Every structure is written in C-alpha cells, then in structure tokens.
C-alpha cells in the first residue's frame, strides 16, 4: 500500500512540475507574441510621427531662421504631439526589448530550475522511499522472527508440559511403586525409567527457557522496530514529503515574482514616461494664447501691419496759413458745425454704449460656449468589476450627435448676431467728422 | 500705397487661415491614422488574450468545479495578466473610438469655423477698406478744392493788386492833374477814367475777398478732413486690424484647446485604467505564496499525501505480552542498547546541529540570491531632454549576459551544496534506532 502511495506522490509532483513548465511556456509564448505586438505598435507610431515630421522639415526649410521666436502656440502643440508619438514609439520598443531580452530569459531559466530541482528532489525522494521500504521490510522480518520464536516457544512449552505430565504419571505410579517397593523391593526397571523422564523434562525445560528468551527478545525487537517504523513513516509524511515539495519549489515563487516585477517595472515606467509627455502637451495647451499668436503674426508681417505715415498738411504754394482759421466770417460756420458734431457725438456715444453692452453680453455667451468643459471622456474608460463583460459605452456617452448639432447651431447664431452688430460700428463717428 | 497694403493684409490673413486649415487637416489625418494604429493594437492584444483564455477554458472544463478554491497563486498571476491584456485591448479600442468620433469631428468643426469666420471678417474688412479709400479720396478732393480756391484767391489778389497799382498810378497822375486841374480846370475825361479804375478795384476787391473766404473755408475743410482721415487711418491700424484678426481667431484657440484636452483626457484615463490593472497584478504578485500553494496541492491530492494507518502491534496467537519486557535476562541487553543509542543520539545531535547551521546559512544565501531586487528597468525609459536623439540603452543596462550567467552558476553551485547536505540527513537517527 505504502509503495503504491509513494509512486502516486512522485506522479503528483511530476504533474505539478509539468503544469508549471506548461505555465512558463505559455508565459514565454505570451510575452514573445506581446513583444511582437509592441514592436509593431512602436513601428507604426514611428512611421506616423516621421510622416508628418518630414513634411514639416521640408516645408519649414525656407523659413528655418524664424523658427523659434515665431512658433505659434497652436503649432507648438502639434509639434509636441508628434514628439509624444515618437516618445511612445520608443517606449513601446523598449518594452518589447525588455520582454524579449529579460522577461522571457527569466522564464526560460525558471523552467530549467524546475526541471533540475525536480530531478534532484526525485533522486533524494527515491532514496527516502527505498529506506522506508527497507524499514517496513525489516519490520515484517522481525515480526516473522517473533512469530517463529513464539511458535517454537509454544511447542517447547507443550513438550515440556508433556514431559511434566509423564513425570507426574510416573511419580504417582512410583508412589504406588514405593509402597509396593517397600513391599516388594524388586522394582529396579521402573526407577531408571523415572530418571529418564526426569532427564527429558530437564532438557525440555532448558529448551523451553531458551525458546522463551528468544521469543521475548524477538518480541522486544518487534515492538521497538514497530515504534521506530511508525516514527519513520510519520516523520516522512509530516516532514519529508513537505521538505521534498519545498525542494521542488525552491525559488520558484521568488523567481516568478521577480519576473512579474520586471514586467511591472517596465509597464509602470512606460506609464510614467507617457505621463511626463502628456504633461508637456497639457502645459502647451494651457499656454494656447490667441493674443500672443496675433502679435507674432503681426510681427512676422510687420511691413503689412505697420500704420502708414500720417497724411501731412500740404499748403498750397505760398500759403503760409497752416491752421484752421476761426475768424469771422467762418467762425459762425465753425461754431455751428461744432455744435452739430457735439450733438451727433452725444447720440453716437449713447448708441455705442448700447451696442457695446450687447456685444459684451454676446461675446460672453460665445466665450461660454467656446470654453465649455466638454472634453472629459473618463466615462468611456470605466471597467466593470467583472472583467469578462466588454462594455461599448464609448461612442454613446461623450458626444451624442444631437447635442453637438444643437450646440453648434446655437454657437453660429450667436456668432452671426455678434458680427451683425460688431465691426462696422466704431468707425461711424470719425466718418461723420470728415463728412459733416 | 494704402490700397496695396490693405490687399496684402487680406493675403496675410488668408494665408494664416490656410495654414490653420492645413494644420487642422494634418491633425485630422494624424488622428485618423493613430485611431487605426490603436485599433490594430487593440485587436492584436484581444487575439493574444483570447488565444490563451480559450486554451485555459478548454483545459479547465473537466476540473471546473475546483476552480476557485484551489487556484494557485502563480496561476492567478497568469489569469490576471490575461485580464490586463484584455483591459488594455478594450482601452485602446476606446481611445481609437474617441479619436474617430470626437477628436476628428471637433477638428473638422474648427476648420469649418475658420472658413466661415474668415469669410465674414473679410466682408467686414472690405467694407472698412472701402470706407478708408473713400475717406482718403475725399481728403484728396478737399485738398484739390483748397488748392484750386487758393490759386483763384492768388489770381484775384494779383488782379486786385494790379487794379490798386493802376489806381495809384492814376492817383499820382490825378494828383498832378488836380494841381493842373486847379490851374487848368478842363481835365474832365481823366476824372471818369479814375472812377472806372475805382470801380474795377472795388470789383476786384470783392472778388478777392470772396475767393479768399472760399480759400479759407476750403483750407479749413482740408485741415479738418486731414485730421479726421489721420484719425480714421490710425484707428484702423491700431484697433480695426486687430479686431479683424480677433474675429478671424474667434474661438480658434479655445476650440483647439478643448480638442487637445479631449485627447489628453482620453490618454490620461487610459493611463489610469492601465495603472489600476497593473496594481491588481502587483497585488497578486505580492501574494505569490509557496506555502499556501503547497497546501493547496496537498489538499487537492489528499489521498496521496495523507499518512497511512500506523502499523499496529500484531501479537502472535495466544501471546498476551504486548510490551517490551525489561526483566532479567534481557534487561542487561536493553540497558546496553539504551546506552549505545544515547551516545549515538548525542553524536547525531551534534552532527545535526552542524548540518543545520550549514543548511541555514546556505539557504539564506540562496534566498538572498532568489530575492535579489534585480527587476527595476527604469533606466531603459530615461528620455534625454532633446527629444530628437533616440537612445538604445535598453538591452545594455538591465541584463548583461555575463552578469546573468555568473549569477546563475553561483546559484546552482549553492543549490547543489544545499542538496548534498540536506535531505538524507534527518532520517538517520530513526534508521539507527530500528537497526541497532
């Protein structure tokens, strides 16, 4: 029975090692394929970034010199987006590299370790098993010996009992005999027969004692061996089997943990790098600035946007008067014109104030529309606890077509209204001054 | 000149709009391609996870029932790795979805906005330009009028001066005449000539005054128009051009920022989700536990690992003695054996103590080797500030072949030594008890 169980134990440990090796092979295969996927991904990103970078390089060559001072904030975001793409490309290539040259190598080593350790443990296990079998065989032997000696002891006892019985019979006869002997005194043969019985009894007594001692010794041996065997078997099952499994396991969990931690370290570092890159872009987005971009554009084309020379007064030849004459008779005219302008100005001021209020309110509405915080897409990345169910809420929640259309038509309406009251207005007064 | 500059201004604004539209097209193209890349990546990851998941499902079906209670900690890590792969797959699909259905849509809308706003701004700009041209034309007209009136005024003045000269000549003549007249009293025709000159002078005086007034008015008009025109032109260059650019820009930076923030929100959320998944794996790695796995295995095969029944004492038939007899004559024997065992035990204890110390030290060395923290790969993800230079330090720093080989040979040496002193030892004493 024990021998059977020991065989099963090896089978079980072997099976355990095999399933571990299978797991490690699956992991290696998994990381090999994932390394390929990461490399493909990295290359696609690299190609994508390069496509636009080369385009920028070729188009920028003729205005290379004004590169940095005049980089518009929106264009800056675009360049950083390309940088981030290159960064991701490099990081995923590194990930692939770490899978191939570190994680997979470790996994292969763990497989080797398992095979080697199982082989060694099995050798030692076989040795232990052999010893167990030897011990139990010996127990069987000493038990048999005890039984044999006990049988012999019983038979010697029986024989001794026989002899004693004969002696007793003889004795009771010789008691009669003695009486007879006293009476008849010629019973010589009977006396020698009694001596014979006596001798036999002594011999049998000695034999019996010897066998009984042998039996006692054998029984002692058996009992001591029994206790020792039980102790050996118990120790094997309580400690040795556990030790043997420990030997098979030696370093397995630690090495596997280190492999997984290598994987985790790579992934966490990729994440950190990605995060740094995104922060750079976020910073650039925070610095998107229409005012400074406008000034950059006007600087770049300053000959187009610089105001022309003032119109100078060109007095007609010989005319030395160079200022408005307010003498009579034009004085009355001028005064009238001045009063007309003043009243026109007052009216315009009121009108302008109205227009300005409307414009400010409209602009505020537009600004509110334009800066509405509608860019949070975290809903799309909610994972339910049950990892099995794949949710596809993404396109639902963050941008319903109806909402977008409504918002846009609203925005354009407001914009049109703004334009209709806006730009032609402030020019009015000065135009009036000229034409009155 | 001004008209030329105004044309250039439109060209510049148009060029600006065009380069924005180009940028937005590039961004759309970029996100379209990136969406494809993310989707490919997502699909590859999904396929990878599914390949192993289906394998697990098919192999696990026959032992489905013992699924959860007996899940080994190492297998748990493997399952969570597959979960993480599925999670990454889903997140990158979501990213792709957000690029396509949100980011690109926004970019297209910004393009539309730019075109519409530029058109509207240009209309208003043309109106402003027309008014500027009108004002400058008017200035030219009033200047011309002033020049004309001044010319006329000069000519009237000349004529008047002429008349005055004539009158003076006449006067000096008639002075003489008067003297003569007093003397000769018959100079009638000369008196009528003087009256004619007087009349002409008066007419020329009136003409001159009229022309001078006209000229003064025209000069006043010119001077006032000049100031107004300069003010209009200055206002145009200082405020209107800037306002026109603002109108072209309206919402551009805000909308672009919102688009980039959508992209950032998606990327940050992907990162958070990835991080959560990695934390789950890290937790499982922290819980890698050889002891509990060993118990799970032994529980699963408990009929193989449960200790057999103790060997029972089988007394030979009729033998009623069931314990070690320590009577004479075996007493001496037993005592001798006892003393032998005691001294053997003492020796073994010392030997065992030595062995244990060696084993503990060796095991400690092994454990140190097995738990060395060699899994940090952050070096591989260092990006130099200059984003252009691609570093390929990855395979260099974190796992030099030489180091690995050296460490492994060290580990195996220690392991062999451990085995050579380990498992066969503790069985000794009990074996001795049985055989002495």
């Amino acid at each position: 029975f024990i021998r059977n169980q020991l065989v099963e134990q090896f089978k079980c440990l072997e099976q355990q090692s095999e399933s571990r090796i299978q797991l490690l092979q699956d992991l290696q295969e998994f990381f090999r394929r994932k390394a390929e996927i990461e490399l493909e991904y990295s290359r696609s990103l690299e190609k994508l970034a390069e496509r636009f970078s080369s385009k920028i390089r070729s188009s920028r060559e003729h205005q290379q010199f004004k590169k940095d001072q005049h980089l518009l904030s929106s264009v800056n975001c675009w360049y950083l987006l390309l940088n981030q793409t290159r960064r991701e490309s490099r990081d995923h290539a590194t990930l692939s590299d770490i899978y191939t040259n570190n994680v997979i190598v470790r996994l292969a080593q763990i497989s080797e370790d398992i095979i080697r350790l199982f082989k060694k443990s099995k050798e030692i296990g076989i040795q232990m098993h052999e010893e167990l079998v030897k011990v139990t065989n010996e127990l069987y032997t000493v038990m048999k010996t005890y039984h044999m000696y006990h049988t012999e002891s019983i038979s010697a006892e029986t024989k001794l009992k026989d002899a004693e019985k004969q002696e007793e019979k003889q004795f009771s006869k010789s008691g009669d005999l003695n009486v007879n002997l006293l009476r008849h005194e010629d019973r010589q043969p009977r006396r020698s027969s009694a001596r014979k019985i006596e001798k036999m009894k002594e011999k049998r007594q000695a034999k019996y004692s010897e066998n009984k001692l042998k039996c006692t010794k054998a029984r002692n041996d058996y009992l001591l061996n029994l206790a020792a065997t039980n102790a050996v078997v118990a120790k094997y099952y309580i400690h040795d089997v556990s030790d043997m499994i420990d030997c098979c396991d030696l370093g397995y969990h630690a090495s596997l943990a280190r492999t997984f931690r290598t994987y985790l370290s790579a992934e966490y570092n990729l994440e950190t790098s990605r995060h740094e890159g995104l922060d750079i872009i976020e910073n650039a987005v925070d610095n998107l600035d229409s005012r400074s971009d406008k000034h950059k554009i006007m600087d770049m084309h300053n000959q187009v946007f610089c105001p022309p020379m003032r119109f100078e007064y060109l007095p007609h030849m010989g005319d030395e008067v160079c200022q408005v004459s307010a003498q009579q008779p034009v004085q009355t005219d001028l005064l009238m014109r001045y009063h007309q302008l003043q009243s026109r100005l007052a009216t315009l001021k009121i009108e302008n104030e109205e227009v300005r209020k409307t414009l400010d309110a409209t602009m505020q509405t537009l600004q509110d529309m334009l800066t509405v915080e509608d860019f949070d897409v975290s809903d799309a990345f909610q994972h339910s606890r049950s990892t099995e169910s794949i949710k596809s809420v993404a396109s639902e929640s963050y941008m319903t077509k109806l909402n977008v259309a409504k918002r846009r038509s609203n925005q354009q309406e407001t914009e049109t209204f703004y334009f209709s009251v806006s730009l032609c207005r402030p020019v009015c007064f000065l135009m009036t001054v000229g034409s009155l």
Side-chain angles (χ1 to χ4, degrees), chain A:
Chain A
F1 171 73
I2 282 186
R3 196 170 295 204
N4 231 344
Q5 215 185 17
L6 296 181
V7 170
E8 287 299 316
Q9 281 170 10
F10 277 138
K11 262 194 201 155
C12 177
L13 288 185
E14 192 153 21
Q15 188 187 312
Q16 190 53 31
S17 295
E18 273 164 12
S19 68
R20 278 179 183 177
I21 285 164
Q22 184 58 51
L23 172 64
L24 290 163
Q25 269 174 0
D26 283 351
L27 279 168
Q28 283 177 74
E29 191 50 38
F30 172 86
F31 279 111
R32 197 169 294 125
R33 179 66 193 122
K34 189 146 201 281
E36 284 169 19
I37 293 172
E38 298 298 338
L39 201 59
E40 280 167 39
Y41 185 57
S42 162
R43 282 187 186 141
S44 299
L45 291 178
E46 172 64 32
K47 249 169 76 186
L48 175 63
E50 186 48 33
R51 183 169 131 199
F52 290 99
S53 298
S54 68
K55 192 175 158 189
I56 289 164
R57 252 178 273 125
S58 67
S59 80
R60 211 171 40 175
E61 253 159 27
H62 64 279
Q63 52 176 359
Q64 194 93 43
F65 56 96
K66 41 172 101 166
K67 205 166 86 179
D68 281 331
Q69 314 91 292
H70 291 296
L71 188 60
L72 300 178
S73 60
S74 52
V75 178
N76 186 38
C77 287
W78 168 226
Y79 290 176
L80 291 177
L81 186 62
L82 292 176
N83 279 351
Q84 172 70 357
T85 308
R86 265 190 297 272
R87 181 181 195 135
E88 283 175 23
S89 165
R90 254 171 297 147
D91 287 348
H92 281 273
T94 306
L95 201 62
S96 173
D97 191 24
I98 291 172
Y99 287 167
T100 307
N101 294 315
N102 188 332
V103 174
I104 292 177
V105 173
R106 284 175 190 267
L107 290 167
Q109 287 171 356
I110 301 176
S111 279
E112 279 174 29
D113 291 350
I114 287 177
I115 294 169
R116 195 181 61 251
L117 286 170
F118 175 70
K119 218 177 119 199
K120 283 191 185 168
S121 303
K122 196 178 173 183
E123 276 169 19
I124 291 171
I126 286 172
Q127 199 181 321
M128 289 196 300
H129 285 187
E130 277 169 0
E131 277 163 356
L132 265 187
V133 168
K134 200 176 122 199
V135 168
T136 49
N137 282 348
E138 211 164 288
L139 179 64
Y140 184 75
T141 309
V142 294
M143 186 185 76
K144 284 287 159 204
T145 309
Y146 153 61
H147 286 181
M148 193 180 73
Y149 285 148
H150 191 247
T151 310
E152 279 173 16
S153 167
I154 287 169
S155 113
E157 194 181 13
T158 313
K159 280 185 182 159
L160 176 60
K161 288 253 172 73
D162 248 27
E164 275 172 352
K165 246 179 233 159
Q166 278 185 37
E167 190 191 36
E168 208 171 309
K169 221 158 63 189
Q170 186 73 27
F171 199 71
S172 68
K173 261 189 205 158
S174 77
D176 295 348
L177 276 179
N178 279 346
V179 174
N180 290 343
L181 201 66
L182 293 174
R183 288 186 202 141
H184 308 289
E185 283 202 332
D186 56 355
R187 301 268 163 95
Q188 193 63 23
R190 291 224 165 142
R191 200 167 291 158
S192 77
S193 160
R195 219 177 298 124
K196 237 164 93 189
I197 286 169
E198 179 71 10
K199 239 181 174 169
M200 187 185 72
K201 202 203 87 181
E202 269 165 24
K203 217 172 114 192
R204 287 189 180 178
Q205 176 68 53
K207 180 86 179 174
Y208 169 65
S209 295
E210 185 198 346
N211 278 347
K212 198 177 172 190
L213 181 62
K214 266 186 184 168
C215 174
T216 302
K217 275 187 172 170
R219 197 197 309 104
N220 275 357
D221 244 20
Y222 172 47
L223 280 163
L224 285 172
N225 247 300
L226 185 70
T229 303
N230 276 328
V232 167
V233 170
K235 180 186 160 299
Y236 173 78
Y237 277 88
I238 292 165
H239 298 293
D240 294 353
V241 169
S242 177
D243 284 353
M244 196 161 68
I245 296 178
D246 285 347
C247 277
C248 284
D249 282 358
L250 192 70
Y252 172 69
H253 287 79
S255 301
L256 199 63
R258 277 157 61 216
T259 307
F260 273 112
R261 286 193 205 286
T262 306
Y263 155 78
L264 286 170
S265 170
E267 294 277 341
Y268 280 131
N269 275 295
L270 177 113
E271 194 186 290
T272 306
S273 169
R274 187 189 186 94
H275 193 94
E276 278 173 16
L278 291 176
D279 284 350
I280 293 172
I281 295 181
E282 191 173 44
N283 186 44
V285 172
D286 288 343
N287 287 328
L288 272 175
D289 182 357
S290 59
R291 194 174 304 262
S292 102
D293 278 5
K294 184 171 73 180
H295 290 312
K296 275 175 195 158
I297 290 166
M298 291 176 84
D299 280 358
M300 262 193 297
H301 304 88
N302 59 350
Q303 74 284 12
V304 176
F305 290 105
C306 79
M309 304 278 278
R310 287 174 59 83
F311 292 104
E312 290 299 325
Y313 174 57
L314 299 173
H316 196 248
M317 43 183 181
D319 188 6
E320 277 162 31
V321 184
C322 60
Q323 58 190 45
V324 174
S325 154
Q327 313 272 281
Q328 280 298 3
V330 288
Q331 192 185 31
T332 328
D333 248 28
L334 279 177
L335 272 174
M336 199 179 75
R337 201 163 154 183
Y338 173 68
H339 290 304
Q340 274 178 339
L341 282 175
Q342 264 198 329
S343 82
R344 180 86 187 100
L345 183 61
T347 319
L348 274 174
K349 258 186 180 165
I350 293 165
E351 277 177 28
N352 257 349
E353 199 50 42
E354 292 285 295
V355 169
R356 176 58 55 203
K357 273 181 198 161
T358 315
L359 283 180
D360 283 352
T362 315
M363 183 46 94
Q364 192 52 54
T365 313
L366 261 179
Q367 290 293 357
D368 289 350
M369 285 172 172
L370 289 167
T371 55
V372 60
E373 303 217 333
D374 59 351
F375 43 75
D376 182 6
V377 293
S378 35
D379 281 356
F381 288 91
Q382 291 308 317
H383 293 275
S384 60
R385 284 275 153 182
S386 82
T387 44
E388 298 292 326
S389 76
I390 295 168
K391 284 201 293 182
S392 171
V393 289
S395 45
E396 299 284 329
S397 59
Y398 54 82
M399 255 212 157
T400 53
K401 302 257 168 192
L402 202 70
N403 263 342
V404 170
K406 204 172 142 196
R407 219 163 51 197
R408 278 188 71 68
S409 94
N410 247 343
Q411 181 183 323
Q412 284 179 31
E413 233 168 70
T414 315
E415 184 186 297
T416 307
F417 179 67
Y418 181 79
F419 270 98
S420 73
V421 285
S422 170
L423 267 174
C424 37
R425 268 306 178 188
V427 98
C428 288
F429 178 66
L430 288 166
M431 301 301 291
T432 317
V433 173
S435 63
L436 254 179

